[in-house]
Amino acid sequence: MRKPLVMGNWKLNGTKESVTALVNALVEPANNAANVEVAVCAPAIFIGLVEQLANGSALQYGSEDCDVHNSGAFTGENSPVMIKEFGCKYAIVGHSERRAYHNETNEVVAAKFQAAQNADLVPVLCIGESLEQFEAGQTADVCKTQLKAVIDLCGIESFEKAVIAYEPIWAIGTGKTATPEIAQNVHSQIRAYLASFNADVAAKVQILYGGSCNAKTAPELFKQPDIDGGLVGGASLKPADFSAIIEAAK
Ligand code: 13P
């Protein structure tokens, strides 16, 4: 049985004040349940603050990216070992915004996935197609290619300690959520592809949906058999909305 995971991705948002308010709300008992895991991925500069505020609670947290190196002359980067030192469980890798604005290729993303695992972080591998690819019927192929780069470098067993987030780019920040049918169809194809390498790993890996996942759309999405929770952008910044999404996953 896969446990649902609801993860916020704050992207480039927040102040010390808003982060404090948000984390204080998330550590409240109402947002805790044995049958759902809640996590937030924060801008690196706020991770130390999240660590202090989440201390001793069930709330898990992570980074929005990580470098492939653990140290060295790489100005501006955050290493997986540093991220781990601040108590993070997760590191998002391969978010479409990183792929688009920082030219991260499938190979770079796979290297980040590997570096995160080497530092004992759980990588959250983001995959998904553009609107153009969606309209051309290429969704499954795009997702498979993105997964294959990681399988080639790290092996299928690496997904025993990883999370996948299917995030159609056309649904991110647009208010155009994939319908539960579309999302379930892609999730099941992702799982079937992984199963072609190792059925056991495929059955266990959590596959989150991301892209305008909100209090309204989450309940139907989370009812789908291959959707194991959500990676939530905009709605994760508002405590009431994020709590409603957590509620839908319980
Ligand atoms: P939105 O929920 O704002 O569409 O963002 C989704 C996302 O990119 C999460 O990683």
Side-chain angles (χ1 to χ4, degrees):
M1 204 34 203
R2 297 181 300 268
K3 191 172 181 175
L5 168 61
V6 177
M7 180 177 284
N9 172 13
W10 293 347
K11 308 192 180 184
L12 190 56
N13 293 294
T15 60
K16 284 188 197 173
E17 193 182 348
S18 72
V19 166
T20 304
L22 204 43
V23 176
N24 281 341
L26 292 175
V27 298
E28 287 293 315
N31 287 314
N32 269 303
N35 61 351
V36 57
E37 187 187 345
V38 179
V40 292
C41 289
I45 199 161
F46 289 130
I47 289 174
L49 179 58
V50 174
E51 181 189 28
Q52 286 171 29
L53 296 165
N55 185 26
S57 79
L59 180 69
Q60 297 289 347
Y61 53 95
S63 63
E64 299 175 8
D65 179 43
C66 71
D67 195 36
V68 297
H69 306 96
N70 283 331
S71 63
F74 303 102
T75 302
E77 297 294 344
N78 293 291
S79 96
V81 167
M82 293 172 185
I83 292 163
K84 183 69 189 177
E85 196 186 356
F86 282 82
C88 286
K89 176 172 179 181
Y90 296 104
I92 296 175
V93 297
H95 192 281
S96 59
E97 288 149 18
R98 299 290 314 176
R99 293 178 190 260
Y101 308 141
H102 299 269
N103 302 318
E104 292 189 8
T105 61
N106 287 335
E107 289 67 35
V108 167
V109 172
K112 289 187 169 194
F113 181 106
Q114 186 176 53
Q117 283 194 331
N118 286 343
D120 203 21
L121 292 164
V122 176
V124 180
L125 173 69
C126 296
I127 60 174
E129 81 288 2
S130 66
L131 181 60
E132 209 180 12
Q133 291 164 331
F134 174 72
E135 286 173 345
Q138 295 167 347
T139 300
D141 285 343
V142 170
C143 292
K144 286 178 192 173
T145 303
Q146 291 172 331
L147 290 168
K148 186 67 169 34
V150 174
I151 295 169
D152 285 347
L153 184 69
C154 307
I156 186 68
E157 287 75 20
S158 66
F159 284 93
E160 278 170 5
K161 288 187 179 163
V163 174
I164 296 170
Y166 168 60
E167 300 205 305
I169 296 167
W170 47 270
I172 296 177
T174 59
K176 285 189 215 152
T177 320
T179 63
E181 295 71 30
I182 290 175
Q184 164 57 26
N185 183 34
V186 180
H187 280 231
S188 76
Q189 290 187 69
I190 291 168
R191 209 179 293 287
Y193 180 64
L194 297 173
S196 71
F197 295 89
N198 185 320
D200 191 45
V201 170
K204 286 185 188 149
V205 68
Q206 290 160 307
I207 308 178
L208 311 184
Y209 168 80
S212 301
C213 180
N214 55 44
K216 243 174 142 175
T217 57
E220 280 308 311
L221 285 163
F222 293 173
K223 278 183 198 157
Q224 306 305 311
D226 287 295
I227 299 183
D228 305 313
L231 183 57
V232 184
S236 74
L237 299 169
K238 299 173 208 140
D241 288 13
F242 197 52
S243 295
I245 296 170
I246 295 165
E247 204 55 44
K250 279 182 186 169

